[in-house]
Amino acid sequence: MITAQDVGGVHIKYLYHCRRQLWLYLRGIRPESLNASVQLGEAVHDTSYNRNSPVDLGAARLDFLDGRHWVHEVKSSARPTEADEAQGRHYCHRLRNLGIDVKGAVLHYPKTRRIFRYPYTPEGAELAEADIAEVLTVASSSASPDRLSNSRCRGCSFTDYCWTE
Ligand code: SF4
C-alpha cells in the first residue's frame, strides 16, 4: 500500500485530472499511449532546458531547482492547469519538508512560450498536505471511481481501458 512518503508528482497530477486515472495508475495499469506522452514530455524537456539537472526526491522528480530556490517544471501542454499548479506545489512542499527554503514553482510552457510563477505560501502547504491525504484515500478505495464524462476524457491515455465495452 502506498504511504504519504510515496506520493509523487504523477499521483498529484492524476488526482486533479481524474480520480479513476489515479486509481488505475496506483494499481499498475499503464496504457501504451501513456509511455508516448511521457516520451513527449521528456523530449520537450530535453530540447528546452538541457543545461539543468533534474532533482530526484525519491517518489517525486522535479525538472530543476534554481539558485534562488524556485522549482522549475517544463510542461509539454500548451496551457496551465490546476493539476500543473498542484504538482508544482507538491514539489515545493517536499523540499520544504527536507529543510530547503523553497520560494515557489515556476511552470514553463515552451509550446506557447509562457511562464507562470506560483509562490509557495502557508495556504499552499495546507493544500499540498490535503492533496497527499486525498491520494491516499483514492488508493485505499476498493472500487474504481466513476468515469468522467466522455468529453473530458479526450486525450487521456486510459480511454481504451475506460470506454471499450
Ligand atoms: S478515460 Fe476518462 S475516466 Fe478514464 S481515466 Fe481517463 S479521464 Fe478518467
Side-chain angles (χ1 to χ4, degrees):
M1 176 62 76
I2 189 173
T3 70
Q5 282 309 313
D6 302 321
V7 174
V10 173
H11 299 121
I12 300 297
K13 183 169 118 182
Y14 288 175
L15 175 73
Y16 275 79
H17 180 239
C18 170
R19 282 164 190 251
R20 181 182 174 92
Q21 187 178 27
L22 172 61
W23 190 89
L24 292 169
Y25 182 81
L26 284 164
R27 279 154 183 77
I29 298 168
R30 307 277 196 279
E32 201 50 43
S33 51
L34 183 61
N35 296 334
S37 66
V38 169
Q39 283 167 5
L40 172 64
E42 286 175 354
V44 168
H45 174 264
D46 288 348
T47 55
S48 304
Y49 290 93
N50 55 10
R51 283 189 306 247
N52 299 285
S53 303
V55 179
D56 197 341
L57 301 174
R61 192 168 191 265
L62 54 99
D63 286 343
F64 67 97
L65 182 69
D66 71 23
R68 300 202 314 196
H69 290 177
W70 284 85
V71 169
H72 291 255
E73 277 285 298
V74 182
K75 300 295 179 187
S76 53
S77 56
R79 284 190 309 273
T81 64
E82 202 184 355
D84 294 343
E85 185 179 348
Q87 208 175 2
R89 188 168 64 223
H90 179 74
Y91 293 144
C92 291
H93 192 58
R94 286 274 180 234
L95 288 165
R96 274 287 172 99
N97 287 345
L98 291 172
I100 297 170
D101 183 27
V102 69
K103 300 296 187 297
V106 184
L107 306 184
H108 301 255
Y109 295 84
K111 265 189 191 168
T112 48
R113 297 172 182 261
R114 299 187 75 187
I115 294 174
F116 295 84
R117 194 173 281 266
Y118 299 99
Y120 185 67
T121 62
E123 294 75 29
E126 282 179 24
L127 280 173
E129 277 297 327
D131 288 344
I132 292 169
E134 276 302 301
V135 169
L136 297 181
T137 299
V138 172
S140 64
S141 169
S142 56
S144 64
D146 290 341
R147 294 180 297 201
L148 298 183
S149 63
N150 200 317
S151 62
R152 294 180 61 199
C153 296
R154 202 171 299 122
C156 175
S157 46
F158 290 84
T159 304
D160 287 349
Y161 186 92
C162 291
W163 290 100
T164 303
E165 302 296 342

PDB file of all heavy atoms in Angstrom, residues 98-130:
ATOM      1  N   LEU A  98      12.148  18.901   3.563  1.00  0.00           N
ATOM      2  CA  LEU A  98      13.562  18.493   3.633  1.00  0.00           C
ATOM      3  C   LEU A  98      14.429  19.622   4.178  1.00  0.00           C
ATOM      4  O   LEU A  98      15.655  19.515   4.227  1.00  0.00           O
ATOM      5  CB  LEU A  98      14.068  18.093   2.246  1.00  0.00           C
ATOM      6  CG  LEU A  98      13.488  16.794   1.675  1.00  0.00           C
ATOM      7  CD1 LEU A  98      13.921  16.616   0.228  1.00  0.00           C
ATOM      8  CD2 LEU A  98      13.919  15.595   2.515  1.00  0.00           C
ATOM      9  N   GLY A  99      13.785  20.751   4.527  1.00  0.00           N
ATOM     10  CA  GLY A  99      14.522  21.864   5.131  1.00  0.00           C
ATOM     11  C   GLY A  99      15.040  22.882   4.131  1.00  0.00           C
ATOM     12  O   GLY A  99      15.841  23.746   4.493  1.00  0.00           O
ATOM     13  N   ILE A 100      14.601  22.774   2.881  1.00  0.00           N
ATOM     14  CA  ILE A 100      15.040  23.748   1.865  1.00  0.00           C
ATOM     15  C   ILE A 100      14.040  24.904   1.829  1.00  0.00           C
ATOM     16  O   ILE A 100      12.823  24.685   1.752  1.00  0.00           O
ATOM     17  CB  ILE A 100      15.143  23.064   0.486  1.00  0.00           C
ATOM     18  CG1 ILE A 100      16.219  21.980   0.556  1.00  0.00           C
ATOM     19  CG2 ILE A 100      15.449  24.081  -0.609  1.00  0.00           C
ATOM     20  CD1 ILE A 100      16.268  21.070  -0.618  1.00  0.00           C
ATOM     21  N   ASP A 101      14.552  26.112   1.866  1.00  0.00           N
ATOM     22  CA  ASP A 101      13.694  27.290   1.911  1.00  0.00           C
ATOM     23  C   ASP A 101      13.189  27.627   0.505  1.00  0.00           C
ATOM     24  O   ASP A 101      13.526  28.666  -0.072  1.00  0.00           O
ATOM     25  CB  ASP A 101      14.495  28.461   2.506  1.00  0.00           C
ATOM     26  CG  ASP A 101      13.639  29.705   2.647  1.00  0.00           C
ATOM     27  OD1 ASP A 101      12.407  29.563   2.785  1.00  0.00           O
ATOM     28  OD2 ASP A 101      14.214  30.810   2.596  1.00  0.00           O
ATOM     29  N   VAL A 102      12.386  26.728  -0.021  1.00  0.00           N
ATOM     30  CA  VAL A 102      11.924  26.880  -1.401  1.00  0.00           C
ATOM     31  C   VAL A 102      10.961  28.073  -1.509  1.00  0.00           C
ATOM     32  O   VAL A 102      10.158  28.315  -0.613  1.00  0.00           O
ATOM     33  CB  VAL A 102      11.293  25.555  -1.886  1.00  0.00           C
ATOM     34  CG1 VAL A 102       9.984  25.261  -1.174  1.00  0.00           C
ATOM     35  CG2 VAL A 102      11.106  25.535  -3.370  1.00  0.00           C
ATOM     36  N   LYS A 103      11.076  28.809  -2.620  1.00  0.00           N
ATOM     37  CA  LYS A 103      10.263  30.024  -2.774  1.00  0.00           C
ATOM     38  C   LYS A 103       8.945  29.767  -3.504  1.00  0.00           C
ATOM     39  O   LYS A 103       7.969  30.490  -3.309  1.00  0.00           O
ATOM     40  CB  LYS A 103      11.059  31.075  -3.554  1.00  0.00           C
ATOM     41  CG  LYS A 103      12.356  31.491  -2.875  1.00  0.00           C
ATOM     42  CD  LYS A 103      12.093  32.180  -1.558  1.00  0.00           C
ATOM     43  CE  LYS A 103      13.343  32.766  -0.929  1.00  0.00           C
ATOM     44  NZ  LYS A 103      14.365  31.764  -0.582  1.00  0.00           N
ATOM     45  N   GLY A 104       8.946  28.795  -4.365  1.00  0.00           N
ATOM     46  CA  GLY A 104       7.728  28.521  -5.125  1.00  0.00           C
ATOM     47  C   GLY A 104       8.052  27.774  -6.395  1.00  0.00           C
ATOM     48  O   GLY A 104       9.168  27.299  -6.583  1.00  0.00           O
ATOM     49  N   ALA A 105       7.033  27.684  -7.265  1.00  0.00           N
ATOM     50  CA  ALA A 105       7.194  26.919  -8.505  1.00  0.00           C
ATOM     51  C   ALA A 105       7.079  27.848  -9.714  1.00  0.00           C
ATOM     52  O   ALA A 105       6.250  28.761  -9.724  1.00  0.00           O
ATOM     53  CB  ALA A 105       6.135  25.827  -8.584  1.00  0.00           C
ATOM     54  N   VAL A 106       7.909  27.568 -10.717  1.00  0.00           N
ATOM     55  CA  VAL A 106       7.841  28.278 -11.991  1.00  0.00           C
ATOM     56  C   VAL A 106       7.521  27.237 -13.058  1.00  0.00           C
ATOM     57  O   VAL A 106       8.290  26.287 -13.244  1.00  0.00           O
ATOM     58  CB  VAL A 106       9.176  28.974 -12.326  1.00  0.00           C
ATOM     59  CG1 VAL A 106       9.035  29.777 -13.619  1.00  0.00           C
ATOM     60  CG2 VAL A 106       9.621  29.866 -11.180  1.00  0.00           C
ATOM     61  N   LEU A 107       6.387  27.401 -13.707  1.00  0.00           N
ATOM     62  CA  LEU A 107       5.979  26.431 -14.723  1.00  0.00           C
ATOM     63  C   LEU A 107       6.215  27.014 -16.116  1.00  0.00           C
ATOM     64  O   LEU A 107       5.764  28.125 -16.418  1.00  0.00           O
ATOM     65  CB  LEU A 107       4.499  26.070 -14.543  1.00  0.00           C
ATOM     66  CG  LEU A 107       4.111  25.573 -13.146  1.00  0.00           C
ATOM     67  CD1 LEU A 107       2.649  25.143 -13.119  1.00  0.00           C
ATOM     68  CD2 LEU A 107       5.008  24.425 -12.696  1.00  0.00           C
ATOM     69  N   HIS A 108       6.905  26.249 -16.946  1.00  0.00           N
ATOM     70  CA  HIS A 108       7.286  26.692 -18.289  1.00  0.00           C
ATOM     71  C   HIS A 108       6.451  25.932 -19.329  1.00  0.00           C
ATOM     72  O   HIS A 108       6.341  24.707 -19.250  1.00  0.00           O
ATOM     73  CB  HIS A 108       8.754  26.388 -18.557  1.00  0.00           C
ATOM     74  CG  HIS A 108       9.692  27.049 -17.585  1.00  0.00           C
ATOM     75  ND1 HIS A 108      10.454  28.138 -17.905  1.00  0.00           N
ATOM     76  CD2 HIS A 108       9.976  26.764 -16.280  1.00  0.00           C
ATOM     77  CE1 HIS A 108      11.186  28.509 -16.855  1.00  0.00           C
ATOM     78  NE2 HIS A 108      10.917  27.676 -15.857  1.00  0.00           N
ATOM     79  N   TYR A 109       5.929  26.667 -20.285  1.00  0.00           N
ATOM     80  CA  TYR A 109       5.143  26.072 -21.375  1.00  0.00           C
ATOM     81  C   TYR A 109       5.809  26.448 -22.706  1.00  0.00           C
ATOM     82  O   TYR A 109       5.427  27.438 -23.344  1.00  0.00           O
ATOM     83  CB  TYR A 109       3.698  26.568 -21.317  1.00  0.00           C
ATOM     84  CG  TYR A 109       2.996  26.106 -20.071  1.00  0.00           C
ATOM     85  CD1 TYR A 109       3.135  26.814 -18.877  1.00  0.00           C
ATOM     86  CD2 TYR A 109       2.249  24.937 -20.057  1.00  0.00           C
ATOM     87  CE1 TYR A 109       2.535  26.375 -17.705  1.00  0.00           C
ATOM     88  CE2 TYR A 109       1.641  24.490 -18.896  1.00  0.00           C
ATOM     89  CZ  TYR A 109       1.797  25.215 -17.724  1.00  0.00           C
ATOM     90  OH  TYR A 109       1.201  24.767 -16.575  1.00  0.00           O
ATOM     91  N   PRO A 110       6.823  25.672 -23.124  1.00  0.00           N
ATOM     92  CA  PRO A 110       7.564  26.024 -24.340  1.00  0.00           C
ATOM     93  C   PRO A 110       6.685  26.146 -25.578  1.00  0.00           C
ATOM     94  O   PRO A 110       6.961  26.968 -26.450  1.00  0.00           O
ATOM     95  CB  PRO A 110       8.561  24.873 -24.487  1.00  0.00           C
ATOM     96  CG  PRO A 110       8.671  24.280 -23.136  1.00  0.00           C
ATOM     97  CD  PRO A 110       7.345  24.476 -22.470  1.00  0.00           C
ATOM     98  N   LYS A 111       5.618  25.337 -25.653  1.00  0.00           N
ATOM     99  CA  LYS A 111       4.755  25.382 -26.838  1.00  0.00           C
ATOM    100  C   LYS A 111       4.177  26.771 -27.057  1.00  0.00           C
ATOM    101  O   LYS A 111       3.989  27.208 -28.182  1.00  0.00           O
ATOM    102  CB  LYS A 111       3.588  24.391 -26.667  1.00  0.00           C
ATOM    103  CG  LYS A 111       3.821  23.049 -27.283  1.00  0.00           C
ATOM    104  CD  LYS A 111       2.532  22.252 -27.232  1.00  0.00           C
ATOM    105  CE  LYS A 111       2.797  20.818 -27.598  1.00  0.00           C
ATOM    106  NZ  LYS A 111       1.653  19.963 -27.288  1.00  0.00           N
ATOM    107  N   THR A 112       3.821  27.438 -25.975  1.00  0.00           N
ATOM    108  CA  THR A 112       3.204  28.770 -26.084  1.00  0.00           C
ATOM    109  C   THR A 112       4.130  29.864 -25.543  1.00  0.00           C
ATOM    110  O   THR A 112       3.721  31.016 -25.410  1.00  0.00           O
ATOM    111  CB  THR A 112       1.865  28.794 -25.325  1.00  0.00           C
ATOM    112  OG1 THR A 112       2.058  28.222 -24.024  1.00  0.00           O
ATOM    113  CG2 THR A 112       0.797  28.029 -26.047  1.00  0.00           C
ATOM    114  N   ARG A 113       5.348  29.461 -25.187  1.00  0.00           N
ATOM    115  CA  ARG A 113       6.367  30.398 -24.678  1.00  0.00           C
ATOM    116  C   ARG A 113       5.856  31.188 -23.480  1.00  0.00           C
ATOM    117  O   ARG A 113       6.137  32.382 -23.348  1.00  0.00           O
ATOM    118  CB  ARG A 113       6.815  31.363 -25.777  1.00  0.00           C
ATOM    119  CG  ARG A 113       7.486  30.667 -26.929  1.00  0.00           C
ATOM    120  CD  ARG A 113       7.711  31.648 -28.056  1.00  0.00           C
ATOM    121  NE  ARG A 113       8.310  30.988 -29.199  1.00  0.00           N
ATOM    122  CZ  ARG A 113       9.601  31.011 -29.490  1.00  0.00           C
ATOM    123  NH1 ARG A 113      10.428  31.654 -28.738  1.00  0.00           N
ATOM    124  NH2 ARG A 113      10.066  30.372 -30.544  1.00  0.00           N
ATOM    125  N   ARG A 114       5.098  30.525 -22.635  1.00  0.00           N
ATOM    126  CA  ARG A 114       4.573  31.225 -21.461  1.00  0.00           C
ATOM    127  C   ARG A 114       5.184  30.634 -20.190  1.00  0.00           C
ATOM    128  O   ARG A 114       5.534  29.446 -20.136  1.00  0.00           O
ATOM    129  CB  ARG A 114       3.051  31.124 -21.407  1.00  0.00           C
ATOM    130  CG  ARG A 114       2.415  31.753 -22.634  1.00  0.00           C
ATOM    131  CD  ARG A 114       0.928  31.814 -22.527  1.00  0.00           C
ATOM    132  NE  ARG A 114       0.512  32.875 -21.606  1.00  0.00           N
ATOM    133  CZ  ARG A 114      -0.749  33.052 -21.229  1.00  0.00           C
ATOM    134  NH1 ARG A 114      -1.687  32.258 -21.672  1.00  0.00           N
ATOM    135  NH2 ARG A 114      -1.066  34.028 -20.402  1.00  0.00           N
ATOM    136  N   ILE A 115       5.293  31.489 -19.181  1.00  0.00           N
ATOM    137  CA  ILE A 115       5.863  31.083 -17.898  1.00  0.00           C
ATOM    138  C   ILE A 115       4.945  31.597 -16.791  1.00  0.00           C
ATOM    139  O   ILE A 115       4.510  32.749 -16.818  1.00  0.00           O
ATOM    140  CB  ILE A 115       7.281  31.681 -17.718  1.00  0.00           C
ATOM    141  CG1 ILE A 115       8.243  31.090 -18.747  1.00  0.00           C
ATOM    142  CG2 ILE A 115       7.799  31.426 -16.305  1.00  0.00           C
ATOM    143  CD1 ILE A 115       9.613  31.732 -18.739  1.00  0.00           C
ATOM    144  N   PHE A 116       4.644  30.728 -15.825  1.00  0.00           N
ATOM    145  CA  PHE A 116       3.793  31.114 -14.695  1.00  0.00           C
ATOM    146  C   PHE A 116       4.545  30.842 -13.396  1.00  0.00           C
ATOM    147  O   PHE A 116       5.162  29.784 -13.242  1.00  0.00           O
ATOM    148  CB  PHE A 116       2.483  30.325 -14.709  1.00  0.00           C
ATOM    149  CG  PHE A 116       1.635  30.628 -15.900  1.00  0.00           C
ATOM    150  CD1 PHE A 116       1.855  29.963 -17.107  1.00  0.00           C
ATOM    151  CD2 PHE A 116       0.656  31.595 -15.843  1.00  0.00           C
ATOM    152  CE1 PHE A 116       1.091  30.254 -18.232  1.00  0.00           C
ATOM    153  CE2 PHE A 116      -0.116  31.900 -16.951  1.00  0.00           C
ATOM    154  CZ  PHE A 116       0.096  31.225 -18.145  1.00  0.00           C
ATOM    155  N   ARG A 117       4.439  31.786 -12.490  1.00  0.00           N
ATOM    156  CA  ARG A 117       5.179  31.701 -11.231  1.00  0.00           C
ATOM    157  C   ARG A 117       4.173  31.592 -10.088  1.00  0.00           C
ATOM    158  O   ARG A 117       3.243  32.407  -9.985  1.00  0.00           O
ATOM    159  CB  ARG A 117       6.029  32.976 -11.094  1.00  0.00           C
ATOM    160  CG  ARG A 117       7.096  32.937 -10.049  1.00  0.00           C
ATOM    161  CD  ARG A 117       7.954  34.188 -10.167  1.00  0.00           C
ATOM    162  NE  ARG A 117       8.915  34.107 -11.238  1.00  0.00           N
ATOM    163  CZ  ARG A 117      10.178  33.700 -11.077  1.00  0.00           C
ATOM    164  NH1 ARG A 117      10.629  33.362  -9.888  1.00  0.00           N
ATOM    165  NH2 ARG A 117      10.993  33.631 -12.105  1.00  0.00           N
ATOM    166  N   TYR A 118       4.344  30.586  -9.229  1.00  0.00           N
ATOM    167  CA  TYR A 118       3.427  30.370  -8.104  1.00  0.00           C
ATOM    168  C   TYR A 118       4.228  30.356  -6.800  1.00  0.00           C
ATOM    169  O   TYR A 118       4.857  29.336  -6.467  1.00  0.00           O
ATOM    170  CB  TYR A 118       2.691  29.042  -8.239  1.00  0.00           C
ATOM    171  CG  TYR A 118       1.837  28.926  -9.480  1.00  0.00           C
ATOM    172  CD1 TYR A 118       2.307  28.256 -10.610  1.00  0.00           C
ATOM    173  CD2 TYR A 118       0.568  29.491  -9.524  1.00  0.00           C
ATOM    174  CE1 TYR A 118       1.532  28.149 -11.748  1.00  0.00           C
ATOM    175  CE2 TYR A 118      -0.223  29.383 -10.665  1.00  0.00           C
ATOM    176  CZ  TYR A 118       0.269  28.708 -11.772  1.00  0.00           C
ATOM    177  OH  TYR A 118      -0.502  28.598 -12.902  1.00  0.00           O
ATOM    178  N   PRO A 119       4.209  31.449  -6.038  1.00  0.00           N
ATOM    179  CA  PRO A 119       4.918  31.450  -4.753  1.00  0.00           C
ATOM    180  C   PRO A 119       4.327  30.401  -3.799  1.00  0.00           C
ATOM    181  O   PRO A 119       3.117  30.144  -3.825  1.00  0.00           O
ATOM    182  CB  PRO A 119       4.678  32.868  -4.214  1.00  0.00           C
ATOM    183  CG  PRO A 119       4.314  33.680  -5.412  1.00  0.00           C
ATOM    184  CD  PRO A 119       3.589  32.745  -6.343  1.00  0.00           C
ATOM    185  N   TYR A 120       5.200  29.820  -3.002  1.00  0.00           N
ATOM    186  CA  TYR A 120       4.764  28.825  -2.014  1.00  0.00           C
ATOM    187  C   TYR A 120       4.340  29.564  -0.736  1.00  0.00           C
ATOM    188  O   TYR A 120       5.088  30.387  -0.224  1.00  0.00           O
ATOM    189  CB  TYR A 120       5.919  27.882  -1.713  1.00  0.00           C
ATOM    190  CG  TYR A 120       5.578  26.743  -0.793  1.00  0.00           C
ATOM    191  CD1 TYR A 120       4.698  25.744  -1.175  1.00  0.00           C
ATOM    192  CD2 TYR A 120       6.159  26.663   0.469  1.00  0.00           C
ATOM    193  CE1 TYR A 120       4.398  24.693  -0.340  1.00  0.00           C
ATOM    194  CE2 TYR A 120       5.867  25.598   1.312  1.00  0.00           C
ATOM    195  CZ  TYR A 120       4.982  24.620   0.902  1.00  0.00           C
ATOM    196  OH  TYR A 120       4.689  23.583   1.740  1.00  0.00           O
ATOM    197  N   THR A 121       3.147  29.278  -0.246  1.00  0.00           N
ATOM    198  CA  THR A 121       2.571  30.001   0.895  1.00  0.00           C
ATOM    199  C   THR A 121       2.117  29.000   1.961  1.00  0.00           C
ATOM    200  O   THR A 121       2.010  27.796   1.686  1.00  0.00           O
ATOM    201  CB  THR A 121       1.339  30.800   0.441  1.00  0.00           C
ATOM    202  OG1 THR A 121       0.361  29.846  -0.038  1.00  0.00           O
ATOM    203  CG2 THR A 121       1.681  31.793  -0.658  1.00  0.00           C
ATOM    204  N   PRO A 122       1.804  29.469   3.178  1.00  0.00           N
ATOM    205  CA  PRO A 122       1.257  28.556   4.191  1.00  0.00           C
ATOM    206  C   PRO A 122      -0.033  27.889   3.706  1.00  0.00           C
ATOM    207  O   PRO A 122      -0.288  26.715   3.982  1.00  0.00           O
ATOM    208  CB  PRO A 122       0.991  29.483   5.384  1.00  0.00           C
ATOM    209  CG  PRO A 122       1.956  30.613   5.199  1.00  0.00           C
ATOM    210  CD  PRO A 122       2.069  30.817   3.722  1.00  0.00           C
ATOM    211  N   GLU A 123      -0.850  28.633   2.959  1.00  0.00           N
ATOM    212  CA  GLU A 123      -2.083  28.033   2.423  1.00  0.00           C
ATOM    213  C   GLU A 123      -1.728  26.922   1.422  1.00  0.00           C
ATOM    214  O   GLU A 123      -2.387  25.882   1.377  1.00  0.00           O
ATOM    215  CB  GLU A 123      -2.933  29.091   1.705  1.00  0.00           C
ATOM    216  CG  GLU A 123      -3.502  30.167   2.597  1.00  0.00           C
ATOM    217  CD  GLU A 123      -2.465  31.195   3.046  1.00  0.00           C
ATOM    218  OE1 GLU A 123      -1.483  31.420   2.293  1.00  0.00           O
ATOM    219  OE2 GLU A 123      -2.610  31.744   4.151  1.00  0.00           O
ATOM    220  N   GLY A 124      -0.661  27.169   0.643  1.00  0.00           N
ATOM    221  CA  GLY A 124      -0.208  26.154  -0.308  1.00  0.00           C
ATOM    222  C   GLY A 124       0.247  24.894   0.409  1.00  0.00           C
ATOM    223  O   GLY A 124       0.011  23.781  -0.062  1.00  0.00           O
ATOM    224  N   ALA A 125       0.900  25.085   1.549  1.00  0.00           N
ATOM    225  CA  ALA A 125       1.363  23.928   2.332  1.00  0.00           C
ATOM    226  C   ALA A 125       0.173  23.095   2.807  1.00  0.00           C
ATOM    227  O   ALA A 125       0.192  21.858   2.756  1.00  0.00           O
ATOM    228  CB  ALA A 125       2.185  24.410   3.522  1.00  0.00           C
ATOM    229  N   GLU A 126      -0.883  23.786   3.246  1.00  0.00           N
ATOM    230  CA  GLU A 126      -2.083  23.058   3.698  1.00  0.00           C
ATOM    231  C   GLU A 126      -2.719  22.300   2.536  1.00  0.00           C
ATOM    232  O   GLU A 126      -3.151  21.157   2.684  1.00  0.00           O
ATOM    233  CB  GLU A 126      -3.102  24.040   4.289  1.00  0.00           C
ATOM    234  CG  GLU A 126      -2.749  24.475   5.698  1.00  0.00           C
ATOM    235  CD  GLU A 126      -3.749  25.467   6.255  1.00  0.00           C
ATOM    236  OE1 GLU A 126      -4.905  25.478   5.790  1.00  0.00           O
ATOM    237  OE2 GLU A 126      -3.353  26.224   7.148  1.00  0.00           O
ATOM    238  N   LEU A 127      -2.789  22.968   1.377  1.00  0.00           N
ATOM    239  CA  LEU A 127      -3.364  22.302   0.201  1.00  0.00           C
ATOM    240  C   LEU A 127      -2.529  21.088  -0.199  1.00  0.00           C
ATOM    241  O   LEU A 127      -3.069  20.038  -0.562  1.00  0.00           O
ATOM    242  CB  LEU A 127      -3.423  23.275  -0.977  1.00  0.00           C
ATOM    243  CG  LEU A 127      -4.578  24.273  -0.980  1.00  0.00           C
ATOM    244  CD1 LEU A 127      -4.392  25.274  -2.116  1.00  0.00           C
ATOM    245  CD2 LEU A 127      -5.907  23.548  -1.122  1.00  0.00           C
ATOM    246  N   ALA A 128      -1.214  21.235  -0.133  1.00  0.00           N
ATOM    247  CA  ALA A 128      -0.332  20.119  -0.507  1.00  0.00           C
ATOM    248  C   ALA A 128      -0.553  18.933   0.430  1.00  0.00           C
ATOM    249  O   ALA A 128      -0.597  17.777  -0.012  1.00  0.00           O
ATOM    250  CB  ALA A 128       1.125  20.575  -0.480  1.00  0.00           C
ATOM    251  N   GLU A 129      -0.709  19.198   1.717  1.00  0.00           N
ATOM    252  CA  GLU A 129      -0.974  18.117   2.678  1.00  0.00           C
ATOM    253  C   GLU A 129      -2.315  17.459   2.376  1.00  0.00           C
ATOM    254  O   GLU A 129      -2.457  16.237   2.426  1.00  0.00           O
ATOM    255  CB  GLU A 129      -0.982  18.670   4.110  1.00  0.00           C
ATOM    256  CG  GLU A 129       0.382  18.802   4.746  1.00  0.00           C
ATOM    257  CD  GLU A 129       1.090  17.453   4.919  1.00  0.00           C
ATOM    258  OE1 GLU A 129       0.425  16.433   5.159  1.00  0.00           O
ATOM    259  OE2 GLU A 129       2.329  17.431   4.771  1.00  0.00           O
ATOM    260  N   ALA A 130      -3.321  18.306   2.067  1.00  0.00           N
ATOM    261  CA  ALA A 130      -4.653  17.772   1.762  1.00  0.00           C
ATOM    262  C   ALA A 130      -4.613  16.915   0.498  1.00  0.00           C
ATOM    263  O   ALA A 130      -5.285  15.871   0.420  1.00  0.00           O
ATOM    264  CB  ALA A 130      -5.648  18.926   1.601  1.00  0.00           C
TER     265      ALA A 130
END
